[in-house]
Amino acid sequence: MRKFWVASGIGIGVCLTFVALLVVGTYSAAAGLAKGGRQGAVGLVKGAVPAIYQPLVEKWGNLCPALNPAMLAAQLYTESNWKPDALSNADARGIAQFIPETWATYGVDGDGDGDKDIWDPKDAIPSAATYDCQLSKDVAGVPGDQSDNMLAAYNAGPYRVIKAGGVPPISETQGYVKAIRSLEKSFARPVGRVSPSQQAAGAVYFAQKQLGTPYLWGGDGTAADNGRFDCSGLTKAAYESVGVELPRVANDQYNAGSHPSRSELLPGDLVFFSDDLTNSREIRHVGLYVGGGYMINAPYTGAVIRFDKIDTPDYFGATRVTKEGAEALPERSPAAPKA
């Protein structure tokens, strides 16, 4: 809790021609798509919130008008990555990263079992929502967006928001508000068409040039890796080639933008696979969609980067990457890539 105030494959040659034609045709059509407004949506994308926590987030995320489930999910993801035992260097504890002093005042017995346990998500998630909504009341008379002011108060304290007449000119607070509002789109169920990515065609072009390259677990395509990649290393490099910095791990890449449905996929969308279709944190593989039901991906040791079909039983969903969405993702500790 960041607060200032409280301390398999098909023929490559044929496919390249197919993909080139498909990308041109799809992007010509995509130019006419209406931009679907997603701000204020209260539905959650299936699987974006771990199933064990989704009912809590849906219930408590609707506690007050300034909050919604997607916004609450974005906060919890940013604060703890859904880890109920998270502990920060500042002694912020649990899935909602409360420090004990704040918890003593604002912690609630969310599950009605007679205690208020900072480590128990059934108490901590309701407490985070309750605290958010109390802050929204504290800054209710401040000009500007009510939700932005609430989040700024969560980060810097209501006094600074009131004094500034809105989000205060503190870089960490402004970044916190921007990140949460951007990540909110990753957790919200889209209410209209998801806008096409401006960088997608370049990412597909990069991935096409890697076809036939041997897979390497943990590979980032560097000279030390002899230009080899694993699945998330390939997608990260593809988007890095067009100026978008994705996280290294596939399940974090899932949160780099909004989620088009299967029928709305466009070339450049990231497509994800998991053995648990209820929990995005269990995603184990990612590829780059190229159209026609195919992706370019680095599949596994012993294989090469190639085209594969996406319509398999373990298909989880897709993300339309945006630079804004990628920049909003919290920094994570280095972890073994999921591939």
Side-chain angles (χ1 to χ4, degrees):
M1 182 172 287
R2 300 165 178 80
K3 294 191 200 59
F4 281 74
W5 62 305
V6 186
S8 146
I10 57 180
I12 289 176
V14 174
C15 281
L16 284 173
T17 303
F18 162 72
V19 172
L21 291 172
L22 187 63
V23 169
V24 171
T26 302
Y27 277 89
S28 297
L33 289 180
K35 293 186 177 182
R38 297 174 300 282
Q39 192 170 12
V42 295
L44 292 172
V45 173
K46 182 180 178 181
V49 174
I52 192 172
Y53 304 131
Q54 183 157 337
L56 285 167
V57 174
E58 289 177 331
K59 174 182 176 180
W60 292 93
N62 285 306
L63 187 62
C64 64
L67 188 65
N68 67 61
M71 192 185 306
L72 180 59
Q75 274 191 300
L76 294 166
Y77 169 72
T78 299
E79 296 290 352
S80 69
N81 199 17
W82 303 108
K83 295 178 180 177
D85 59 351
L87 179 65
S88 78
N89 293 333
D91 198 28
R93 304 178 181 183
I95 198 168
Q97 288 291 276
F98 275 97
I99 61 173
E101 293 89 339
T102 308
W103 181 263
T105 302
Y106 296 102
V108 301
D109 179 12
D111 57 2
D113 66 354
D115 72 345
K116 298 183 291 184
D117 185 352
I118 197 171
W119 299 105
D120 186 350
K122 293 189 295 294
D123 290 339
I125 292 175
S127 296
T130 301
Y131 185 40
D132 274 334
C133 291
Q134 179 58 53
L135 291 171
S136 75
K137 294 178 182 177
D138 293 342
V139 298
V142 178
D145 184 274
Q146 185 181 15
S147 298
D148 287 353
N149 290 339
M150 176 191 73
L151 292 170
Y154 187 95
N155 179 262
Y159 171 76
R160 285 190 171 91
V161 176
I162 294 168
K163 183 178 179 181
V167 179
I170 301 170
S171 59
E172 181 179 324
T173 302
Q174 292 181 340
Y176 183 81
V177 173
K178 181 179 179 181
I180 296 297
R181 297 313 297 268
S182 296
L183 284 171
E184 180 183 344
K185 299 173 184 177
S186 174
F187 290 95
R189 184 185 306 119
V191 296
R193 284 277 194 176
V194 181
S195 301
S197 168
Q198 297 178 349
Q199 297 88 8
V204 171
Y205 176 69
F206 177 93
Q208 286 177 347
K209 292 190 295 183
Q210 315 311 315
L211 287 165
T213 303
Y215 173 95
L216 177 66
W217 170 261
D220 292 310
T222 63
D225 295 330
N226 292 320
R228 295 174 293 170
F229 299 91
D230 65 8
C231 69
S232 54
L234 175 62
T235 51
K236 176 176 169 61
Y239 269 95
E240 192 172 69
S241 73
V242 291
V244 178
E245 186 71 27
L246 289 174
R248 181 59 179 83
V249 182
N251 58 20
D252 279 329
Q253 292 181 3
Y254 181 74
N255 292 297
S258 299
H259 307 293
S261 67
R262 171 64 182 86
S263 63
E264 295 172 338
L265 289 181
L266 295 174
D269 290 342
L270 298 184
V271 285
F272 297 90
F273 303 84
S274 176
D275 295 323
D276 181 353
L277 302 184
T278 70
N279 184 359
S280 67
R281 305 313 301 157
E282 295 300 319
I283 285 170
R284 57 169 173 73
H285 187 66
V286 59
L288 191 70
Y289 188 66
V290 296
Y294 282 88
M295 64 179 170
I296 295 175
N297 74 133
Y300 47 76
T301 300
V304 298
I305 294 175
R306 67 192 193 189
F307 294 93
D308 278 313
K309 292 181 178 181
I310 71 165
D311 291 317
T312 59
D314 58 347
Y315 176 75
F316 184 91
T319 296
R320 188 152 297 156
V321 174
T322 65
K323 188 176 182 66
E324 179 188 51
E327 289 175 346
L329 293 169
E331 293 184 6
R332 300 295 185 200
S333 299
K338 294 207 171 190

